[in-house]
């Protein structure tokens, strides 16, 4: 069978998840001795194609139309590309933009879509593994159709390496401009006074802190360590800390020497943004996914452990 | 302006739970109004309060979800529609294209000016229904919206990864998927809760929406449900807060970050 992988780029850069997509696609194509086709739409397609031409890529289809991602253009181009290439599976990254067009492609072609795959296999039919309930449960789904659309979770496959000798094929997509009904007018970076990515020590606080007033105990801990205060999404959504403090997919990726997660459950969106040398988690839920990535943990009430820790550190 | 808001009840598993075959017994599950939908609802209610109009909710689910639907009514929705029948109940899973087909039929019947959805539901996290719904309707769409101004078009900020927002103008009518943090969802007053308890919920079957069972047939079959094996290697300290704090302080000192 043939697998078609649609690469992702943003503001002039191919996104690294595109290379993970190639690895996932290759594995799937290999399961049936099939071909790996890659699609790249808009922007500097020549430069992107050079990077996408990795080992075992058979064909790179390029669509020269516009610069930045536009979901109306992608929906039309990828729908036509699927009709032309006739892949068994069309894959895209499970990113904000991947989810912004692939469901429309699936709807137009009347093929099933499964998102956020963490494993893929093919044995007479496609089997997708994905998480439910914030990662506490996994499920497998069998899809018994001629074609399917799947988005893959970033960070779940290695990046494809090597240099390939793929055929480069310009695909003549017919873009109906009257069906382009959204216009990207610009980008805005969310900055602030603090760059948490630069910090050596981060004390990060999550939903478990319960109220803005309670932030005081984590501020005290951060002060005792001369650390920078960071947060997971719910704290930012509630307006308790500014957006420049957010760790995770939507916010910043951080790589401190020490990361202390306080009352953070550990969604994939959060933990994918942390590469700490030493990772400590304090949470009262023993099954919280944060303990899967932590080096050291305490399963207890943060309102007791955090002040006790601050006390210990201040004393020493 | 008339805005239709899709409302989902999400489930979360308790700290300790058991899986029986392909199901988790309901006694291990807690249900709530989907977090993203609460923001979508608030955004719609604020627009209706400021400029006039109506907010109608649409939910796919059995009678048991009416508590969640009433939460939405208490938080400012004017009317609620719930779609369910035996054919929907017989489905293995409600996949995004099936949901889009059913919700699309509700939109056709209601003819709102805009549709707001949450970005995703907290339990199955497909995140594909908003765009599939827009495509079903032939409408424009904007996803992961964390800032919204509406005039002839919808001016949206889309929250991309890595502290970056995309500024986009979306033609109307449109389906907009709303991200958490765009507003502060209100708490319902006791009076609103009481009023919502007595409100009529408009219940419709597939036949009421001119859909037949073939329209919702899904080729996706769930074959396994299990707890993932722990890959964590964390050293977990036990004891009183003083004891565990002492252990953590020793770990921190070992890292050499205290200068």
């Amino acid at each position: 069978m043939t697998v078609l992988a649609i690469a992702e780029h943003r503001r002039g850069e191919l996104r690294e998840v595109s290379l993970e997509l190639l690895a996932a696609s290759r594995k799937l194509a290999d399961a049936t001795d099939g071909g790996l086709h890659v699609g790249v739409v808009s922007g500097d397609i020549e430069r992107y194609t050079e990077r996408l031409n990795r080992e075992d890529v058979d064909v790179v289809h390029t669509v020269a139309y516009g610069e930045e991602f536009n979901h109306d253009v992608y929906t039309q181009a990828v729908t036509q590309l699927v009709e032309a290439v006739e892949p068994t599976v069309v894959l895209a990254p499970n990113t904000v933009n991947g989810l912004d067009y692939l469901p429309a492609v699936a709807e137009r072609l009347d093929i099933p879509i499964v998102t956020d795959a963490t494993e893929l296999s093919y044995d007479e039919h496609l089997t997708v593994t994905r998480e439910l309930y914030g990662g506490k449960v996994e499920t497998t789904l069998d899809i018994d159709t001629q074609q399917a659309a799947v988005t893959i979770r970033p960070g779940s496959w290695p990046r494809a390496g090597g240099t390939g000798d793929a055929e480069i094929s310009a695909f003549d997509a017919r873009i109906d401009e009257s069906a382009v009904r959204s216009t990207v007018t610009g980008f805005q970076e969310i900055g602030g006074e603090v760059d948490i990515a630069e910090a050596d020590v981060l004390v990060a606080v999550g939903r478990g802190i319960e109220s803005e007033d309670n932030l005081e105990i984590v501020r005290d801990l951060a002060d005792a360590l001369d650390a920078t205060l960071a947060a997971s999404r719910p704290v930012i959504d509630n307006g308790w800390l500014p957006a420049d403090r957010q760790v995770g997919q939507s916010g910043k990726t951080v790589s401190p020497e020490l990361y202390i997660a306080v009352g953070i459950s550990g969604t994939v969106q959060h933990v994918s943004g942390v590469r700490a040398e030493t990772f400590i988690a304090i949470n009262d839920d023993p099954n919280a996914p944060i303990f899967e990535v932590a080096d050291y943990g305490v399963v207890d009430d943060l309102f007791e452990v955090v002040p006790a820790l601050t006390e210990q550190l201040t004393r020493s | 302006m008339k805005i239709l808001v899709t409302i989902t009840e999400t489930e979360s598993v308790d700290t300790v739970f058991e899986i029986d075959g392909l199901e988790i017994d309901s006694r291990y599950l807690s249900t709530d109004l989907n977090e993203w939908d609460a923001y979508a609802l608030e955004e719609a209610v604020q627009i209706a309060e400021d400029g006039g109009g109506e907010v109608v909710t649409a939910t796919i689910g059995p009678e048991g979800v009416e508590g969640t639907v009433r939460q939405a009514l208490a938080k400012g929705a004017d009317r609620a529609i719930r779609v369910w029948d035996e054919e929907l109940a017989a489905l293995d899973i409600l996949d995004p294209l099936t949901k889009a087909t059913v919700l699309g039929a509700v939109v056709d019947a209601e003819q709102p000016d805009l549709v707001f959805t949450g970005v995703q539901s907290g339990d199955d996290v497909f995140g594909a229904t908003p765009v599939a719904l827009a495509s079903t309707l032939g409408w424009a769409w904007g996803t992961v919206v964390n800032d919204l101004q509406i005039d002839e078009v919808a001016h949206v900020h889309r929250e991309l990864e890595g502290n970056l927002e995309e500024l986009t103008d979306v033609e109307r009518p449109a389906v907009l998927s709303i991200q958490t943090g765009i507003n502060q969802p209100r708490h319902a007053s006791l009076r609103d809760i009481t009023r919502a308890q007595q409100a009529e919920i408009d219940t419709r079957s597939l036949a009421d929406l001119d859909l037949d069972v073939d329209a919702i047939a899904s080729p996706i079959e769930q074959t396994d449900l299990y707890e993932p094996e722990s890959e964590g290697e964390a050293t977990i300290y036990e004891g009183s807060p003083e004891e565990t704090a002492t252990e953590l302080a020793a770990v921190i000192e070992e890292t050499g970050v205290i200068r």
Side-chain angles (χ1 to χ4, degrees):
Chain A
M1 68 168 187
T2 304
V3 178
L4 174 64
I6 309 299
E8 180 163 324
H9 58 85
R10 194 169 86 187
R11 301 177 93 194
E13 297 296 334
L14 190 74
R15 303 195 74 209
E16 294 297 320
V17 68
S18 303
L19 302 178
E20 298 168 15
L21 193 66
L22 295 188
S25 305
R26 183 70 258 168
K27 217 174 146 206
L28 204 52
D30 280 350
T32 54
D33 295 322
L36 169 52
H37 292 234
V38 177
V40 56
V41 182
S42 307
D44 192 349
I45 47 176
E46 246 172 72
R47 190 160 47 88
Y48 301 147
T49 300
E50 214 167 289
R51 287 204 66 205
L52 290 165
N53 189 0
R54 301 275 157 144
E55 211 172 332
D56 295 330
V57 173
D58 295 299
V59 187
V60 180
H61 302 271
T62 61
V63 177
Y65 189 98
E67 284 304 311
E68 283 295 337
F69 173 81
N70 175 297
H71 65 229
D72 296 314
V73 172
Y74 266 62
T75 299
Q76 294 185 53
V78 174
T79 300
Q80 291 168 27
L81 198 51
V82 172
E83 284 170 333
V85 175
E86 298 185 330
T88 305
V89 185
V90 53
L91 290 174
N94 195 66
T95 52
V96 171
N97 282 347
L99 288 170
D100 197 33
Y101 72 92
L102 201 66
V105 172
E107 196 278 330
R108 271 150 222 222
L109 295 168
D110 197 20
I111 62 174
I113 179 165
V114 175
T115 62
D116 203 19
T118 55
E119 275 178 61
L120 293 169
S121 64
Y122 196 93
D123 182 11
E124 288 174 10
H125 54 253
L126 179 68
T127 301
V128 181
T129 304
R130 64 194 306 278
E131 292 182 352
L132 298 172
Y133 305 116
K136 288 184 175 179
V137 178
E138 276 181 9
T139 187
T140 56
L141 302 174
D142 281 7
I143 305 162
D144 200 4
T145 50
Q146 295 289 317
Q147 288 189 314
V150 177
T151 62
I152 66 154
R153 174 176 289 188
S156 299
W157 278 267
R159 289 172 193 168
T163 310
D165 53 356
E167 175 195 336
I168 314 296
S169 168
F171 181 72
D172 185 19
R174 301 167 308 281
I175 306 298
D176 173 5
E177 292 195 11
S178 70
V180 177
R181 286 182 292 174
S182 61
T183 312
V184 179
T185 59
F187 291 93
Q188 186 172 308
E189 278 171 47
I190 307 306
E193 289 165 15
V194 179
D195 187 358
I196 53 170
E198 295 293 315
D200 292 330
V201 186
L202 284 168
V203 173
V205 57
R207 198 191 292 269
I209 198 68
E210 292 173 2
S211 81
E212 187 171 9
D213 291 342
N214 292 338
L215 281 180
E216 210 47 44
I217 61 164
V218 281
R219 278 188 214 281
D220 289 344
L221 176 59
D223 286 346
L225 282 162
D226 203 11
T228 304
L229 197 58
S232 63
R233 168 147 218 135
V235 172
I236 310 294
D237 281 347
N238 280 318
W240 298 342
L241 285 172
D244 58 353
R245 303 277 181 163
Q246 187 175 338
V247 175
Q249 240 166 53
S250 310
K252 279 219 163 81
T253 296
V254 297
S255 43
E257 288 175 44
L258 174 62
Y259 190 82
I260 305 180
V262 177
I264 293 177
S265 66
T267 62
V268 60
Q269 290 82 3
H270 179 78
V271 300
S272 65
V274 187
R275 298 179 186 26
E277 277 173 42
T278 303
F279 194 134
I280 294 174
I282 301 168
N283 197 304
D284 62 4
D285 178 1
N287 293 331
I290 196 84
F291 293 116
E292 293 288 305
V293 293
D295 301 308
Y296 303 93
V298 172
V299 182
D300 204 352
D301 184 356
L302 70 91
F303 296 106
E304 295 198 31
V305 178
V306 171
L309 179 56
T310 307
E311 165 89 24
Q312 283 283 341
L313 293 165
T314 319
R315 206 186 298 155
S316 59
Chain B
M1 188 168 343
K2 179 172 172 180
I3 304 176
L4 185 137
V5 183
T6 60
I7 296 288
T8 308
E9 178 175 274
T10 49
E11 295 173 335
S12 54
V13 288
D14 296 342
T15 301
V16 179
F17 63 95
E18 281 170 31
I19 294 172
D20 183 13
L22 295 174
E23 287 183 12
I24 299 171
D25 194 281
S26 62
R27 73 194 135 130
Y28 302 116
L29 295 169
S30 316
T31 58
D32 204 351
L33 169 63
N34 182 37
E35 192 180 355
W36 286 263
D37 297 353
Y39 288 87
L41 175 66
E42 179 65 31
E43 198 65 15
V45 171
Q46 285 185 13
I47 290 168
E49 282 173 349
D50 292 348
E54 189 186 21
V55 176
V56 181
T57 66
T59 302
I60 305 172
E63 200 176 349
V65 305
E66 288 201 349
T68 293
V69 174
R70 288 184 197 285
Q71 262 193 67
L73 287 167
K75 289 172 190 241
D78 298 298
R79 297 193 280 124
I81 297 165
R82 179 175 68 82
V83 185
W84 199 248
D85 59 16
E86 285 174 3
E87 275 136 11
L88 281 164
L91 286 181
D92 191 27
I93 66 162
L94 266 175
D95 74 70
L97 295 188
T98 306
K99 287 187 232 181
T101 301
V102 174
L103 293 169
V106 178
V107 174
D108 280 340
E110 285 292 322
Q111 296 287 317
D113 299 290
L114 289 168
V115 172
F116 289 0
T117 73
V119 165
Q120 60 192 24
S121 58
D123 45 14
D124 66 16
V125 205
F126 272 117
T129 306
V131 172
L133 172 59
S135 184
T136 304
L137 295 167
W139 286 18
W141 68 88
T143 58
V144 198
V145 172
N146 69 1
D147 188 80
L148 171 63
Q149 302 296 325
I150 296 170
D151 42 46
E152 296 80 46
V153 299
H155 306 277
V156 305
H157 288 211
R158 297 181 60 229
E159 184 190 280
L160 304 182
E161 296 87 358
N163 276 344
L164 186 69
E165 292 179 358
E166 180 198 277
L167 316 184
T168 302
D169 289 346
V170 181
E171 289 179 14
R172 291 168 48 186
V175 175
L176 302 178
S177 81
I178 305 295
Q179 176 63 306
T180 58
I182 189 173
N183 52 41
Q184 292 294 326
R186 69 194 62 191
H187 296 286
S189 70
L190 196 59
R191 204 173 129 248
D192 290 332
I193 292 168
T194 311
R195 185 181 46 80
Q197 288 308 327
Q198 290 151 3
E200 188 92 6
I201 294 173
D202 178 1
T203 309
R204 297 189 196 172
S205 65
L206 291 179
D208 294 336
L209 296 168
D210 288 329
L211 292 173
D212 60 27
V213 70
D214 294 338
I216 59 157
S218 172
I220 303 175
E221 188 193 352
Q222 186 173 34
T223 52
D224 203 359
L225 190 73
Y226 54 94
E227 278 188 75
E229 263 176 55
S230 171
E231 289 167 6
E233 290 168 2
T235 305
I236 305 291
Y237 296 115
E238 288 173 359
S240 70
E242 287 69 31
E243 287 163 345
T244 54
T246 306
E247 299 281 4
L248 290 184
V251 168
I252 291 167
E253 234 153 279
E254 190 74 14
T255 64
V257 297
I258 303 174
R259 295 176 184 106

